Amino acid sequence: MKKNNSKKDSTVKSFFEYMGKYIKVKYPYIIIAFIGFLLVSLLNFAKISTVQTVASFTLEEYEIGQISDRTIIAEKDLPPDEINPVSILKGEKIIKKGFPITEENYSKLQKMAESPLFIDYRSFANGELFIFLLVITWFILFSFVPGDKKIEVRESIVHLIFFLILYAMTAFLGKFKFFNDEYSICMILPTSMFIMLITILYGNISAVIISFMLSFGVLNACGWYIPTFIYSLANCLTSAIIVRKIDKRIDLILASLIVSVLNAVYMVLILVIFNEEIASVIGKLVIGVALNGLLSGVLTLGLLTPLEMVLNTASVFRLMDLSDVNNPLLRKMMVQASGSYQHSMMVAQLAESACREINANSLLARVGAYYHDIGKVEQPEYFTENNFDGKNKHDELNPTMSASVIKSHVRKGVEKAYELRMPKAVINIISEHHGNDVIGYFYNKGVIQQDESLTPEDFSYPGNPPSSKESAVVMLADTVEAACRSLDNPTVPRLEKFITTLVNGKMERKQLDNCDLTFRDITKIKDVFVQILGAYYHTRIKYPNQKDPDADKTTEKASEKSAEKGDVR
């Protein structure tokens, strides 16, 4: 019995310890979710409490005998009173589109227009439960479903802002006459613009998840109109799919044209499916949703650059700008540290090709590889690839000092990246491209020359092991490209064996433990490296009458010596 109690106590203790650690890591997102729930609840309360204060009609619009231009349904029960003895039931059709308004109909309209403020707490509670489920769903999806997708705090805030704007527009603009039915409200929903921005800024996974969240939010805000929900979801998913592959800003205009056409098609199909009278409304609705799609692309183009700067995201357009080799920093590197520049270009080619093979972000890997060694620009002479005169600066330093100089290029690179406000994903690659690995050459040299009590930690890089596939691929490409330059007779079989040894060494030193690379990915990466480096180090036959330049120098020196001897004689 005591054993069972102790097991239960340990289980409860473990559960609370796990929850404590989880909350400690996720607390910013829990706070954002809670604040979001409160703000949406306020909008929900305002929507419920203003059913009549933001009137869907004014009494002056109607008179007895007039043909009604729309159908008005009672939102609540209204009992008879002394002033107006007419009773109204919730859900009752007060007037019907296309039918004349009778005296009784007009009395009911008058009673509705003059009724005091009424809050339907049951509807409010239903809305609250639905919003709570949405918040929980959002939290779970972004915590578990996307795999290696790591949502940032800023991204969560963007999600919340977009949801609040869409919910408010749907709930309150839908109360005005021009947008007060389930189809007309679709003309003003900014769903396309929001999804285009999220797709470009944060990727397709985020866009698809938020598409469902926004669409369910519209469903709640518009009064549970299914046609509005279907249109909103189709519009969101279409926008995400169309925008995900574009890599030029001007392509947004073409994307908006495609979205405009598809919006019109969706609207016509929904009208047909729900058996609505198309003839009287199709012109207004088709033109409205088409203009919405076109304006969404234009507004996305205008808002994108400011949002990229404020949020500092690694969007495809931002990465394309950074990949321009005419960038002042890369040009400076080409002049002052030309060996490191050429090394970075080769690492970029290896990393981009490998990431494309394993379905990682090849553009991010290329940009990260371009800038991974920018910390070497300040002291290029301390790095072997920049020593063209054969002199080695480290001959003048002890191994500990040499290791400190080598390690400093990571810190300086990160500092320079922050100064230039590079995206966090690029900065991570710069800081992680050596992980916390040991600088083996100087560690072994230090143990032999200085003191056997030196520890590997004294010669370790200050970073963390790669946390993403792209960062890990850049690390491997950097190691392989540098090491293979020292390989004698770099044939394909020798390259393959050498690259396997290098990659296995990184795995044994636990440098790939924090990323999501699989053994299949690593095999593909090694194959790409072998293919590219095998082509790079290809051999050629000698040209006819080709002479060794050093042989001419040897002949000249021999003739000079013989001439000197002749003069002596």
Side-chain angles (χ1 to χ4, degrees):
M1 190 71 179
K2 290 182 178 179
K3 289 183 178 179
N4 292 335
N5 290 334
S6 62
K7 286 183 179 179
K8 289 181 180 179
D9 292 340
S10 62
T11 302
V12 173
K13 184 179 179 181
S14 300
F15 173 77
F16 281 107
E17 287 179 353
Y18 172 78
M19 290 302 298
K21 292 178 182 178
Y22 184 81
I23 292 173
K24 187 176 181 180
V25 173
K26 297 288 186 179
Y27 78 91
Y29 308 102
I30 296 173
I31 293 173
I32 292 171
F34 180 72
I35 293 173
F37 177 73
L38 291 180
L39 293 175
V40 179
S41 296
L42 289 175
L43 291 176
N44 182 38
F45 183 80
K47 180 193 74 169
I48 297 297
S49 64
T50 56
V51 169
Q52 294 298 336
T53 54
V54 182
S56 60
F57 69 93
T58 57
L59 194 60
E60 291 75 15
E61 295 177 9
Y62 302 102
E63 59 184 24
I64 298 173
Q66 175 185 336
I67 303 298
S68 176
D69 61 345
R70 57 177 165 157
T71 299
I72 294 179
I73 300 175
E75 299 282 347
K76 59 186 179 181
D77 293 329
L78 293 176
D81 53 39
E82 295 180 0
I83 300 174
N84 196 330
V86 178
S87 64
I88 297 175
L89 299 176
K90 182 178 179 180
E92 178 184 351
K93 288 186 178 179
I94 306 302
I95 58 175
K96 192 173 181 181
K97 184 177 180 180
F99 288 82
I101 298 174
T102 63
E103 186 174 348
E104 183 183 3
N105 296 145
Y106 189 80
S107 298
K108 291 183 178 182
L109 287 174
Q110 187 177 21
K111 187 175 185 66
M112 288 178 62
E114 295 173 353
S115 63
L117 181 65
F118 174 82
I119 299 175
D120 189 344
Y121 288 103
R122 178 60 184 270
S123 296
F124 174 71
N126 291 340
E128 287 300 285
L129 289 174
F130 189 80
I131 293 165
F132 181 74
L133 287 175
L134 276 185
V135 172
I136 297 298
T137 303
W138 172 84
F139 192 85
I140 291 174
L141 286 176
F142 277 102
S143 296
F144 302 107
V145 171
D148 60 348
K149 165 70 178 173
K150 294 178 176 62
I151 184 172
E152 299 179 358
V153 174
R154 290 182 181 180
E155 182 180 351
S156 301
I157 295 173
V158 171
H159 294 171
L160 175 58
I161 292 172
F162 285 176
F163 189 91
L164 290 172
I165 293 172
L166 183 63
Y167 193 94
M169 290 183 67
T170 308
F172 299 113
L173 293 182
K175 293 179 180 291
F176 293 99
K177 180 180 178 181
F178 197 75
F179 306 113
N180 71 336
D181 63 77
E182 60 265 45
Y183 304 105
S184 298
I185 190 65
C186 297
M187 297 188 294
I188 58 169
L189 297 180
T191 47
S192 287
M193 181 183 72
F194 289 164
I195 294 301
M196 286 181 181
L197 287 170
I198 290 175
T199 304
I200 295 170
L201 293 173
Y202 296 110
N204 202 49
I205 293 177
S206 290
V208 170
I209 294 175
I210 290 300
S211 294
F212 284 92
M213 297 296 102
L214 293 180
S215 299
F216 280 112
V218 167
L219 178 64
N220 176 253
C222 73
W224 313 106
Y225 288 142
I226 297 299
T228 311
F229 167 74
I230 294 174
Y231 172 84
S232 175
L233 183 59
N235 173 261
C236 287
L237 295 177
T238 300
S239 301
I241 291 171
I242 291 174
V243 172
R244 65 175 180 154
K245 291 296 184 181
I246 65 175
D247 54 8
K248 297 178 183 176
R249 296 178 192 270
I250 197 63
D251 290 344
L252 277 171
I253 302 300
L254 177 61
S256 66
L257 291 173
I258 298 173
V259 170
S260 298
V261 174
L262 292 175
N263 282 354
V265 172
Y266 293 150
M267 181 54 66
V268 172
L269 290 175
I270 290 172
L271 288 170
V272 172
I273 291 170
F274 287 90
N275 297 319
E276 295 293 335
E277 296 179 5
I278 297 178
S280 59
V281 296
I282 191 169
K284 179 187 80 170
L285 294 177
V286 167
I287 293 173
V289 296
L291 286 176
N292 180 302
L294 184 61
L295 287 174
S296 294
V298 175
L299 290 174
T300 300
L301 188 59
L303 292 171
L304 187 59
T305 300
L307 286 175
E308 283 177 330
M309 299 304 296
V310 171
L311 300 173
N312 198 24
T313 59
S315 68
V316 62
F317 301 139
R318 186 87 186 280
L319 292 175
M320 288 298 292
D321 293 339
L322 289 172
S323 68
D324 184 3
V325 293
N326 289 316
N327 183 292
L329 179 59
L330 292 179
R331 290 182 66 84
K332 180 181 179 181
M333 187 179 184
M334 181 174 62
V335 174
Q336 296 186 6
S338 56
S340 298
Y341 175 83
Q342 296 299 333
H343 161 72
S344 297
M345 294 298 108
M346 191 64 191
V347 171
Q349 183 181 350
L350 291 170
E352 181 180 22
S353 301
C355 282
R356 190 177 290 116
E357 193 68 24
I358 63 173
N359 294 321
N361 190 336
S362 57
L363 180 58
L364 173 60
R366 172 154 63 97
V367 173
Y370 280 166
Y371 294 93
H372 79 283
D373 273 347
I374 55 174
K376 294 181 178 180
V377 174
E378 303 300 328
Q379 295 177 306
E381 67 275 9
Y382 285 94
F383 299 91
T384 309
E385 66 267 24
N386 300 309
N387 294 335
F388 304 113
D389 55 2
K391 296 180 181 179
N392 189 346
K393 282 278 188 180
H394 294 284
D395 293 339
E396 306 168 3
L397 304 176
N398 63 53
T400 304
M401 183 61 67
S402 293
S404 297
V405 173
I406 296 297
K407 288 190 291 185
S408 68
H409 87 274
V410 176
R411 174 179 53 81
K412 291 179 180 178
V414 171
E415 291 173 355
K416 196 173 290 292
Y418 273 114
E419 289 175 7
L420 297 172
R421 284 189 55 79
M422 287 187 180
K424 181 65 175 175
V426 176
I427 296 175
N428 287 343
I429 291 176
I430 296 173
S431 66
E432 296 171 354
H433 78 276
H434 283 299
N436 55 9
D437 211 352
V438 178
I439 306 174
Y441 176 81
F442 289 112
Y443 171 64
N444 294 328
K445 186 177 179 182
V447 170
I448 295 172
Q449 293 184 2
Q450 289 180 262
D451 187 358
E452 293 185 359
S453 65
L454 290 174
T455 62
E457 287 74 18
D458 298 328
F459 292 82
S460 297
Y461 283 100
N464 296 316
S467 57
S468 66
K469 288 184 177 182
E470 294 81 11
S471 185
V473 170
V474 171
M475 167 189 272
L476 296 176
D478 178 46
T479 301
V480 167
E481 199 282 333
C484 286
R485 288 184 179 273
S486 63
L487 185 65
D488 294 329
N489 188 23
T491 60
V492 170
R494 286 173 61 81
L495 283 170
E496 186 173 2
K497 186 176 180 179
F498 190 48
I499 289 171
T500 299
T501 302
L502 294 172
V503 173
N504 289 343
K506 290 293 184 183
M507 294 172 63
E508 290 169 2
R509 295 191 296 276
K510 302 185 182 301
Q511 296 302 301
L512 302 180
D513 286 4
N514 293 347
C515 64
D516 296 313
L517 289 178
T518 64
F519 286 115
R520 179 180 295 178
D521 292 336
I522 292 173
T523 300
K524 291 180 180 179
I525 291 168
K526 290 190 292 186
D527 291 342
V528 170
F529 288 172
V530 170
Q531 180 183 0
I532 293 176
L533 291 174
Y536 180 74
Y537 291 115
H538 66 279
T539 58
R540 294 206 179 198
I541 60 173
K542 291 184 178 181
Y543 288 94
N545 303 321
Q546 182 177 352
K547 295 181 179 180
D548 185 355
D550 292 334
D552 294 337
K553 292 180 181 179
T554 304
T555 305
E556 289 177 3
K557 288 180 180 180
S559 60
E560 288 176 1
K561 287 182 179 180
S562 61
E564 289 175 0
K565 289 179 180 179
D567 292 338
V568 171
R569 290 194 187 101

